[in-house]
Amino acid sequence: MHVFIRTRCLQITAALASISLLAGCGLLSDDKGETAQKIVVGTTSAPSTLDPAAAWDGSWELYRNVYQTLLAFPTGAAKPQPDAAQNCEFTDSASESYRCTLKKGLKFSNGEPLDAKAVKYSLDRIRTIAHKNGPKDLFGSLDKIETVDALTVVFHLKAPDATFPFVLGSPAASLVAPKEYPADKAREGDKIVGSGPYVLQSYKEGSEAVLTKNESYTGFANRKNDAVTIRYFAESKKMVEALKNKEIDATYRGLSASEITDLQSPESHNAGVQVVENTGAEIRYLVFNPQDPQVNKLPVRKAIAQIIDRGALVAKVYQGTAEPLYSMVPKGVVGHKTPFYDVYGHADVAKAKKILKDAGITQPVELTFWYTTDRYGASTADEFTEIKRQLDESGLFKITLRGQPWKTFQEGYKSGQYPVFGRGWFPDFPDPDNFIAPFVGKENAVGTPYEPNEILTDLLPNSRRESDRSAGAKQFEQAQAIFAQDVRLLPLWQGKLYVAAREDIAGAERSLDPQTAMQMWEMYRKTSW
């Protein structure tokens, strides 16, 4: 049932984030002798590729700032608003035909026209290329794209899907210049040709991306700076040092809990550092691969769910920067419930032992848990060490830990190599559908087929008929309950989002969109006190 697939991962993503704008740039003169605002930001999450057809991960951070989409989510918006489009709307009551009219005169940075043909080309190539790490599954409900005229494009869907506008508002639907991007394979190299708020002036993989204002941009973003340099750090410790030493202006993604606590201290404040806390929909969870003979046993998965103490995990590792999560749909999202608490309650080793004993399992279960070492932040290793401690001390499990860099880790879970592994999720769009649909289907965000019939054939399709997204809350509540019974995924915690910046940087509180991508244009250097 590919119609109901939504995948991403991310994403996607840092345990607690960071992006640094090169500090020390300040107000500089450009080649024309004019004064320009140039900011430097730092992050531990570098792009995996510059082609949006091949990435469904933290690369979206960069895409949001250099590519344009038909719709977008301005700061504070719960629903997608026009960006490259003049307007968009469903043309039928069944939500199966969606029409967008583009703004006149749009161009890519190479001068190519951004018209209906370019939109069709950009989105068709995502499905044609079908890259294993790309966002093709987000377009599972899309049947075909029709260009009515130069400025009008119609998306014909396979079935009703009121969430489709949300997909068009995500970086998955980034628009690319047809002459620069092959129709049947991902584009290689260190260049980007888009129509977003910024132009990628230069790029050094794993080191930095230099963005300058796109003078031909026409869209919703009100750019409050003229240029941004994003520096990529392998370690958050060095990134924090760079912030304190005024080498960068701000950080986002990758900060550990202890680093956040340190940056919030009076000492850091006195040293000119501010920390802005944002409500987050970031979640962390475990994935169980049924291809493994031990993990395939439901009692084994239920026993793990019964043992893990989220409160202890959050208190010990995340020190108030996260909170326990008992559903894949986080707090603050329509339809959120706590099914994993309702079913398993507090951590209880005795109950877990009974679950295993009733299934005839009397010896400690040996499992290997995998995690990525360079995607979700410095606290990830500590998180898995604590999970191992809890399971080992129960006497019911013997856990071995293995960490891999993101690219290797991604290849491993996609090919089904890991029995249990940790993932992070930042929403593609602010809707409960995006916390259920990406994880089900033959192909999904976590690379392990999971096909709960009721969710795929009833709950998701019925919820997508509702243009009023809150009207589908009951279906999402039922889907969460099924997740808790099957334990194919185990939610662990929900994080808050933090932007740390020098005290002369304004706009940090407005810099995160509902997909938690940083909108670089919101930040600027104060010129007066």
Side-chain angles (χ1 to χ4, degrees):
M1 299 297 295
H2 293 277
V3 175
F4 309 116
I5 292 173
R6 288 280 188 278
T7 315
R8 170 200 187 214
C9 208
L10 309 137
Q11 344 347 103
I12 89 204
T13 19
L16 285 162
S18 99
I19 295 182
S20 319
L21 297 170
L22 285 179
C25 290
L27 297 175
L28 302 178
S29 297
D30 58 19
D31 294 337
K32 299 177 182 179
E34 299 171 341
T35 299
Q37 274 238 5
K38 299 184 179 181
I39 301 180
V40 185
V41 182
T43 180
T44 60
S45 184
S48 59
T49 175
L50 299 185
D51 188 339
W56 193 351
D57 57 22
S59 304
W60 283 16
E61 197 87 60
L62 179 61
Y63 299 170
R64 174 52 76 203
N65 292 275
V66 294
Y67 290 109
Q68 199 170 12
T69 46
L70 289 171
L71 303 170
F73 291 91
T75 301
K79 296 181 179 180
Q81 307 295 321
D83 188 9
Q86 183 69 37
N87 57 70
C88 293
E89 63 181 354
F90 279 106
T91 60
D92 62 335
S93 59
S95 299
E96 291 184 319
S97 182
Y98 195 69
R99 181 176 62 200
C100 289
T101 302
L102 279 75
K103 296 174 181 174
K104 295 180 180 179
L106 295 180
K107 293 183 180 298
F108 291 102
S109 57
N110 67 344
E112 277 189 74
L114 198 176
D115 54 14
K117 289 183 179 179
V119 171
K120 175 176 169 59
Y121 184 91
S122 297
L123 302 187
D124 276 348
R125 70 185 293 269
I126 293 172
R127 299 189 297 160
T128 299
I129 295 170
H131 196 283
K132 64 179 181 180
N133 297 325
K136 61 179 175 59
D137 292 330
L138 274 173
F139 298 92
S141 64
L142 179 60
D143 182 19
K144 62 180 180 180
I145 304 173
E146 174 189 4
T147 54
V148 177
D149 55 41
L151 295 178
T152 307
V153 59
V154 178
F155 301 93
H156 298 282
L157 308 182
K158 301 173 185 176
D161 186 359
T163 70
F164 189 71
F166 291 80
V167 176
L168 292 182
S170 76
S174 295
L175 303 175
V176 300
K179 291 182 180 179
E180 300 284 347
Y181 290 77
D184 57 356
K185 64 179 180 179
R187 186 175 191 260
E188 299 180 353
D190 57 1
K191 306 293 183 183
I192 283 177
V193 183
S195 59
Y198 297 98
V199 173
L200 181 65
Q201 180 175 310
S202 65
Y203 180 75
K204 296 179 182 178
E205 184 175 359
S207 178
E208 70 173 22
V210 178
L211 313 182
T212 56
K213 184 182 287 187
N214 180 2
E215 297 300 340
S216 63
Y217 168 72
T218 301
F220 76 95
N222 178 19
R223 293 161 298 183
K224 298 172 183 175
N225 59 61
D226 299 289
V228 177
T229 296
I230 305 173
R231 288 183 56 190
Y232 301 112
F233 290 83
E235 301 175 4
S236 59
K237 179 180 179 180
K238 293 184 178 179
M239 182 173 64
V240 171
E241 291 175 353
L243 179 66
K244 290 182 175 181
N245 294 333
K246 302 182 180 181
E247 296 167 10
I248 61 176
D249 295 319
T251 68
Y252 170 61
R253 290 209 194 287
L255 295 173
S256 70
S258 59
E259 287 165 343
I260 292 169
T261 301
D262 172 58
L263 290 171
Q264 290 175 322
S265 68
E267 291 78 11
S268 292
H269 179 73
N270 292 336
V273 175
Q274 60 173 320
V275 178
V276 177
E277 179 181 315
N278 294 271
T279 301
E282 165 197 11
I283 67 172
R284 290 293 180 276
Y285 58 96
L286 295 179
V287 181
F288 296 102
N289 183 357
Q291 296 178 21
D292 180 84
Q294 294 281 37
V295 174
N296 187 47
K297 301 171 184 175
L298 179 58
V300 169
R301 305 197 300 270
K302 285 189 171 183
I304 293 174
Q306 189 65 72
I307 291 171
I308 290 182
D309 186 336
R310 294 170 178 80
L313 175 67
V314 167
K316 186 173 183 178
V317 179
Y318 291 104
Q319 305 170 32
T321 62
E323 57 184 313
L325 181 65
Y326 296 93
S327 170
M328 292 298 288
V329 178
K331 290 174 62 177
V333 176
V334 172
H336 165 76
K337 293 293 180 181
T338 57
F340 279 85
Y341 184 83
D342 300 338
V343 174
Y344 304 99
H346 295 291
D348 192 319
V349 173
K351 287 183 179 179
K353 184 174 183 178
K354 185 178 186 304
I355 290 171
L356 294 175
K357 184 178 180 181
D358 289 348
I361 302 172
T362 57
Q363 297 297 317
V365 178
E366 298 186 16
L367 289 172
T368 300
F369 280 40
W370 294 77
Y371 63 93
T372 179
T373 57
D374 60 351
R375 174 59 52 166
Y376 301 139
S379 298
T380 306
D382 294 337
E383 174 182 338
F384 275 79
T385 297
E386 172 61 14
I387 290 173
K388 169 181 166 60
R389 182 194 67 78
Q390 293 182 14
L391 292 172
D392 285 352
E393 287 188 1
S394 74
L396 304 176
F397 291 89
K398 290 183 179 179
I399 305 301
T400 299
L401 298 181
R402 292 283 184 269
Q404 290 280 11
W406 173 249
K407 288 190 176 181
T408 305
F409 176 79
Q410 195 174 32
E411 292 171 359
Y413 79 73
K414 286 283 188 180
S415 59
Q417 295 180 26
Y418 308 151
V420 185
F421 56 96
R423 289 295 308 277
W425 187 259
F426 289 81
D428 300 313
F429 48 85
D431 188 276
D433 185 287
N434 198 235
F435 292 93
I436 299 293
F439 307 108
V440 297
K442 186 175 182 179
E443 297 178 5
N444 57 46
V446 294
T448 58
Y450 175 36
E451 301 178 82
N453 185 63
E454 185 179 0
I455 293 178
L456 289 168
T457 63
D458 179 15
L459 301 178
L460 280 179
N462 284 332
S463 71
R464 290 178 180 174
R465 297 178 189 276
E466 302 289 351
S467 56
D468 176 3
R469 301 306 297 148
S470 62
K474 184 61 66 176
Q475 285 95 339
F476 291 116
E477 291 172 13
Q478 294 176 36
Q480 292 171 74
I482 292 171
F483 275 12
Q485 292 296 335
D486 292 347
V487 202
R488 287 290 304 278
L489 305 146
L490 185 64
L492 296 173
W493 55 265
Q494 173 178 355
K496 302 173 184 177
L497 297 176
Y498 297 87
V499 176
R502 300 299 309 177
E503 63 182 355
D504 64 332
I505 297 298
E509 72 282 356
R510 293 180 52 82
S511 63
L512 301 183
D513 73 1
Q515 297 144 329
T516 68
M518 180 173 272
Q519 301 179 139
M520 301 292 183
W521 57 83
E522 291 286 359
M523 290 187 291
Y524 61 96
R525 194 180 310 281
K526 300 173 185 176
T527 56
S528 62
W529 296 86

